[in-house]
Amino acid sequence: MTEVKKELTPEEEKLTIRDISIAAEAQTKQGDTFYLITQSWWQEWLEYVNQNQANTAIDGSVSEHCLGDSSALKRPSSIDNSDLIYEATSGDSSMGIELHDTLVEGTNYILLPEEVWNQLYEWYRGGPILPRKVINSGLSQTELAVEVYPLRLQLHLMPKDQCSTIRISKKETIRQLHKKACEIFSLNPELVCIWDYFSHQKHALMNDMDKTLDDANIQMDQDILVEVANGNSAGGVNSFHENGTADNGTVALVKPSQSDISNAEGLSLSKGSSRNGTAELLQSQQLASSGTDKTYGSSGVSTRGSSCGLTGLLNLGNTCFMNSAIQCLVHTPEFARYFREDYYQEINRQNPLGMVGELALAFGDLLRKLWAPGRTPVAPRPFKGKLARFAPQFSGYNQHDSQELLAFLLDGLHEDLNRVKHKPYIKSKDADGRPDEEVADEYWANHIARNDSIIVDVCQGQYKSTLVCPVCNKVSVTFDPFMYLSLPLQSATTRSMTVTIFTCDGSALPVACTVTVPKQGRCRDLIQALSNSCSLKHNEKLLLAEIRGHLIHRFLEDPLISLSSIKDDDHLAAYKIPKLTKNSKFLQLIHRREEREIGISQSNVGWKPYGTPLVSPICCDDIVTRGDIQLIVHRMLSPMLRTENPGFNCVSRCKTAASANSSRLAASSEACIDSSLANDDPRQKDVPSSKLVNLEKLPLQLVDENNACIDLTVGEDKSVKLSSSSMSILVFADWSQKLLENYDTRYIENLPEVTKYGPATKKARIEPLSLYSCLEAFLREEPLVPEDMWYCPTCKERRQASKKLDLWRLPEVLVIHLKRFSYSRSMKHKLETFVNFPIHDFDLTKYVANRNSSRRQLYELYALTNHYGGMGSGHYTAHIKLLDENRWYNFDDSHISPINEEDVKSAAAYVLFYRRVKTDHHHSVSNGTVSSAGQHSILSRK
């Protein structure tokens, strides 16, 4: 131990490191160096420096050691990072040091700023030293991240057929890669060019020397071709064998330049950021830390009597979404048989929609390893690398949606294995009254003429789509293929909606009204339900409006507007107005409340909208004065007037005067004069506008056609010029504190949401939701959303048609996606609804519209993915039935365990995989399916 070590107490060491850490991390920037240190040593040091008190540790965690005699905890020995690296590379030189492939930050190691590491190293020494650089990452390249694993690339020298493995940052330029390749193979740089050699194919010449490897889309474990112009320019390569391997397994580590940063696919976020779902990696560490990527290259150790298909997948960092989907696909019997046989002849490298066969080859290679004897977990790193190349949305190590990945894989595998090399152009014909069977077979034959693969054989079905124009009743029928069904979890045919009802004549206070309407109904259904609930008079109607930000966002005047366009967190208001509104406009009363900051004088008062706007019709046949608008507003606000305030005009006088003069302004005096005023003195009906002097003038401002504000508290007899182009008249009511004391404005302050989510809503469902109910909701007729309006060939216009789906042709394997994730403007949430799905005898016979098929449509569940947790994080697993054993297993990344069949059902079920139950007539082709995946002629699918 050095002299410094003896001088510092544990408390002094802790404070020293804390101060250095705070200063260093506050100034972290691109290019800074962080150092890996093993979690076990760091935890030992934390316990040592915190042994006298249960203080919060430097990293924010609380030390969990038992407090006792300080002599019980000795000073840690030298730093030992050997558990982070492979033993074969633990030499003195850092050039050859290789980390275990599946290390997890916070579990296996932590990252220390350079200043913190230097201080600890001065005190304790040890090693090996593992520096890593900070880079800019993320979509905007503005997030700071420490990259633990630089790119590992395989350099292939041609024509010498020699190989070398290097580590290099993908923030390095192609120039740096070219330079290092020439140094490793002792080549003349002027005679060397390098190629993107992805999957041993020349994809692109890497001649843009200033482009980074990241921009060039170079992935982990990718091949790079080093091509020499002539064979005499290479030298110094005697240490390489003819098969391309190097003596002693040498791996060259390319150091980054001072301006760039070492890189890897696995990012460790610094400055308080964290990796989502890292807890899910804990279980794989014991398996992963003792092995290398050789687990991927070998078939495992054969165990006599062991079952195949029980091999797990290592989690590479938030890759559980990928692992669960892959396990379900590789345990689909038709796919397992197909990819374990000779499928290479069907690879379509010419398809511009495919991935030159690379995705199919990577999937087939991974499937074979998962079905090999033995149970050594497989690291799917090569597969993920190719996935990232062709689908950049799944690159990196963030959590993704398992169903979205599954959809990409099915579509990508289909295009890579499409037996159709040249797709013909086929124009679909409308049904035009022809029999459905004829039209369906025609559509299917056209589809097969362009799409013919194992994926189509196994997973694709066909549904009937019927569109009806709401104007001319034109019916359009098409038959479209599907790969999977996405079913909604809301099975109810009705929907509860809450709307607040306002009157325009001051006859009643606002009241929230909850009604039940058809879930896929229109605005006319909502208005009818509200009219019945609020006892609407025969000469009244409701004007429906959506309120946002205390303003009217839109009037829902079109009765055909779909209720599905109204979100659960929207706010709706309905205004009672007279039916007869000829030559009238709508006065919108916008409430504003004063806001002042501390220290600001009374003269600098700011006004901000609040509450809910009120609406009243105003007749434009006569001249409208400022006093007229004052009276209309008085009438609208009169129900909220506090009767206990003697200093303000009484309610009855306000109602009488306001009703008297404004009766001539209303579009229909019969509708605007409330029955509550029927007993008022009829002589009051001719009160002139000068009677406004008996009422307190309200602080109102009218917005004229030039967007200027007119003060309505003065010049009550002056006429108001109304805009001829707008149907609305905007008036601001500025509520001072004094005015708020005279009115009870709580009735207009907070509108309820259309549908309020809460515990009561969740408890409302007593019976579990059935998968059949979800299917029925999916097949139910509903109007198209406004964004997807249909072009009617008869009307020659886009129409919001109603759409009806029917199942027509079912596949051998039916994939069902339960739509658990819901989005709205202000939130996104996951539905934890339990769906009661059948494991055996899932009978779809009655849901198939093709009545010419006498075959029962029975399915049996054999696999499903589960999602636990919330949006953006959580954890995926798979439940899979090994058909040979007739037993269910839980596939949780690398961990596999048997489960009981009754435990398969849970509220976490996300994607279900059903397989057709073979019957005595399983060779029948009457419904367009065949039992063998190999039968793929057009006739066999009619």
Side-chain angles (χ1 to χ4, degrees), residues 72 87 245 610 688:
E87 292 182 3
T245 60
Y610 93 107

Side-chain angles (χ1 to χ4, degrees), residues 381-492:
R381 196 177 299 278
F383 178 84
K384 189 180 186 305
K386 294 193 177 182
L387 179 68
R389 182 173 181 98
F390 294 113
Q393 66 268 31
F394 298 118
S395 63
Y397 289 85
N398 293 325
Q399 185 68 275
H400 296 282
D401 190 325
S402 180
Q403 188 272 333
E404 291 179 2
L405 171 73
L406 180 68
F408 172 81
L409 285 180
L410 288 174
D411 186 65
L413 290 174
H414 158 66
E415 297 295 354
D416 268 3
L417 298 169
N418 197 345
R419 302 171 184 120
V420 179
K421 299 301 187 287
H422 303 285
K423 295 186 177 184
Y425 172 76
I426 302 174
K427 186 176 181 179
S428 299
K429 302 176 183 178
D430 201 353
D432 288 332
R434 292 183 292 161
D436 284 347
E437 293 75 14
E438 176 186 339
V439 180
D441 286 347
E442 179 183 285
Y443 269 84
W444 189 251
N446 292 343
H447 175 65
I448 295 301
R450 294 172 53 84
N451 303 277
D452 187 14
S453 69
I454 180 65
I455 305 299
V456 176
D457 297 338
V458 175
C459 291
Q460 283 200 356
Q462 186 184 33
Y463 57 74
K464 174 185 175 183
S465 175
T466 305
L467 290 171
V468 180
C469 178
V471 178
C472 68
N473 293 322
K474 162 69 177 176
V475 178
S476 175
V477 177
T478 58
F479 291 84
D480 304 308
F482 68 84
M483 194 91 73
Y484 52 86
L485 300 178
S486 290
L487 305 186
L489 297 193
Q490 296 83 359
S491 66

Side-chain angles (χ1 to χ4, degrees), residues 765-931:
R765 188 186 303 280
I766 300 175
E767 293 296 325
L769 181 61
S770 166
L771 184 60
Y772 290 107
S773 299
C774 297
L775 181 61
E776 290 165 2
F778 172 75
L779 299 177
R780 188 174 298 118
E781 183 178 2
E782 62 180 9
L784 296 173
V785 295
E787 301 83 51
D788 296 333
M789 287 201 299
W790 170 64
Y791 180 80
C792 176
T794 303
C795 298
K796 305 298 182 183
E797 290 186 23
R798 299 185 68 82
R799 301 293 190 192
Q800 191 176 15
S802 60
K803 183 176 183 179
K804 174 73 170 70
L805 294 179
D806 292 288
L807 299 179
W808 187 266
R809 179 181 269 105
L810 294 180
E812 287 297 298
V813 169
L814 180 63
V815 181
I816 295 179
H817 162 227
L818 302 178
K819 297 172 71 173
R820 292 200 173 276
F821 300 112
S822 177
Y823 305 88
S824 66
R825 279 188 303 272
S826 60
M827 69 177 69
K828 53 184 180 179
H829 63 276
K830 176 190 172 187
L831 299 175
E832 301 285 355
T833 309
F834 173 76
V835 178
N836 186 17
F837 52 89
I839 296 178
H840 305 284
D841 298 331
F842 182 33
D843 192 351
L844 297 176
T845 306
K846 72 175 184 178
Y847 299 101
V848 177
N850 184 2
R851 298 308 175 190
N852 285 350
S853 174
S854 59
R855 179 182 183 183
R856 287 193 69 189
Q857 307 292 335
L858 289 179
Y859 285 83
E860 180 174 335
L861 187 75
Y862 71 92
L864 69 152
T865 64
N866 303 293
H867 181 269
Y868 303 92
M871 295 280 296
S873 58
H875 181 56
Y876 286 95
T877 67
H879 292 337
I880 295 173
K881 183 178 183 179
L882 256 62
L883 300 182
D884 292 340
E885 292 188 15
N886 193 32
R887 188 174 185 181
W888 284 91
Y889 287 88
N890 178 47
F891 285 70
D892 190 352
D893 289 330
S894 59
H895 181 68
I896 301 172
S897 58
I899 58 172
N900 297 323
E901 185 172 274
E902 55 268 23
D903 297 328
V904 169
K905 295 184 181 182
S906 75
Y910 186 42
V911 182
L912 309 174
F913 290 75
Y914 281 95
R915 190 166 179 254
R916 186 189 296 279
V917 175
K918 305 301 180 183
T919 63
D920 293 340
H921 305 287
H922 67 276
H923 293 293
S924 169
V925 295
S926 60
N927 195 43
T929 53
V930 291
S931 60

Side-chain angles (χ1 to χ4, degrees), residues 56 96 106 131 166 186 286 315 463 576 618 676 687 715 844 942:
T56 301
I166 68 167
S186 300
Q286 290 183 340
N315 193 311
Y463 57 74
K576 285 184 180 182
I618 181 169
S676 63
V687 176
L844 297 176
K942 282 189 176 180

